[in-house]
Amino acid sequence: RTLKPCYQSLEKQTVEREKLYGAVPPPGDSIPINVTPFPVDDDCPSDMDIRDVAKNLRNGRAGGASMMRAEDIKGWLHGIVAEEEEGKEGAGDNWRIFVALVQAIWETGEIPQQMSWVIVVLLPKGGGDFRGIGLLEPLWKVMEVLMDRRLHVIEFHD
């Protein structure tokens, strides 16, 4: 079982990964767009949009590099609801931080470096081969569902 990361080792990993995965300029011209664009809502998601997605996350999944789980996000959501309905001061602080993070990523298009890390787990296949799966942060599931809901306006060929 791996040890929980400390701030010093996390900082060292950040520096190493920034060097390894540094930005590389694209190799040539942009891909031409030959279709009529669809009007996709790209406004920043509201608190209520994020709440709707978060309450439908599936529990019992392995966390990513931060070890954040869907249960954590749902707990933060429960905290903000308790603060609003029962007057529990400060119970929604983590939810507000989570919403601010989702909205900042959406508005700027920039992902905090450590949120882009993925733990890859190798699963054995028959014959001695392996298949890798990435353990993503539940934050990415929230972002994916928000984007997917908005992209449903695009009509594809049958």
Side-chain angles (χ1 to χ4, degrees), residues 16-25 113:
E16 290 172 353
R17 290 189 172 128
E18 283 174 348
K19 289 178 186 174
L20 183 63
Y21 300 115
V24 177
Q113 186 73 31

Side-chain angles (χ1 to χ4, degrees), residues 57-107:
L57 290 174
R58 292 180 64 183
N59 292 339
R61 304 287 185 224
S66 73
M67 299 304 194
M68 183 190 313
R69 300 170 304 138
E71 291 89 335
D72 298 326
I73 295 174
K74 288 181 178 182
W76 301 337
L77 176 58
H78 179 72
I80 191 73
V81 170
E83 183 177 294
E84 293 169 351
E85 294 177 358
E86 303 166 17
K88 294 184 177 180
E89 189 67 30
D93 291 347
N94 287 335
W95 177 257
R96 281 188 281 279
I97 293 169
F98 180 73
V99 169
L101 176 61
V102 169
Q103 290 176 338
I105 291 170
W106 195 278
E107 288 174 347

Side-chain angles (χ1 to χ4, degrees), residues 21 29 38 41 73 81 85 87 101 108 111 125:
Y21 300 115
D29 296 334
F38 285 89
D41 178 19
I73 295 174
V81 170
E85 294 177 358
L101 176 61
T108 65
I111 300 166
K125 292 172 56 175

Side-chain angles (χ1 to χ4, degrees), residues 94-154:
N94 287 335
W95 177 257
R96 281 188 281 279
I97 293 169
F98 180 73
V99 169
L101 176 61
V102 169
Q103 290 176 338
I105 291 170
W106 195 278
E107 288 174 347
T108 65
E110 294 182 17
I111 300 166
Q113 186 73 31
Q114 294 172 346
M115 296 301 296
S116 66
W117 296 349
V118 177
I119 294 176
V120 176
V121 178
L122 297 177
L123 300 175
K125 292 172 56 175
D129 291 333
F130 291 90
R131 176 170 84 66
I133 61 167
L135 301 180
L136 296 178
E137 301 292 339
L139 166 90
W140 297 125
K141 187 62 179 175
V142 171
M143 297 294 285
E144 183 264 334
V145 172
L146 288 168
M147 285 188 269
D148 192 46
R149 287 181 179 178
R150 292 174 182 211
L151 293 175
H152 276 293
V153 299
I154 300 174

Side-chain angles (χ1 to χ4, degrees), residues 27-68:
D29 296 334
S30 299
I31 298 173
I33 299 173
N34 299 321
V35 295
T36 306
F38 285 89
V40 176
D41 178 19
D42 63 351
D43 292 336
C44 187
S46 69
D47 181 84
M48 294 310 287
D49 292 334
I50 299 169
R51 287 182 190 206
D52 187 45
V53 172
K55 69 181 178 186
N56 293 316
L57 290 174
R58 292 180 64 183
N59 292 339
R61 304 287 185 224
S66 73
M67 299 304 194
M68 183 190 313

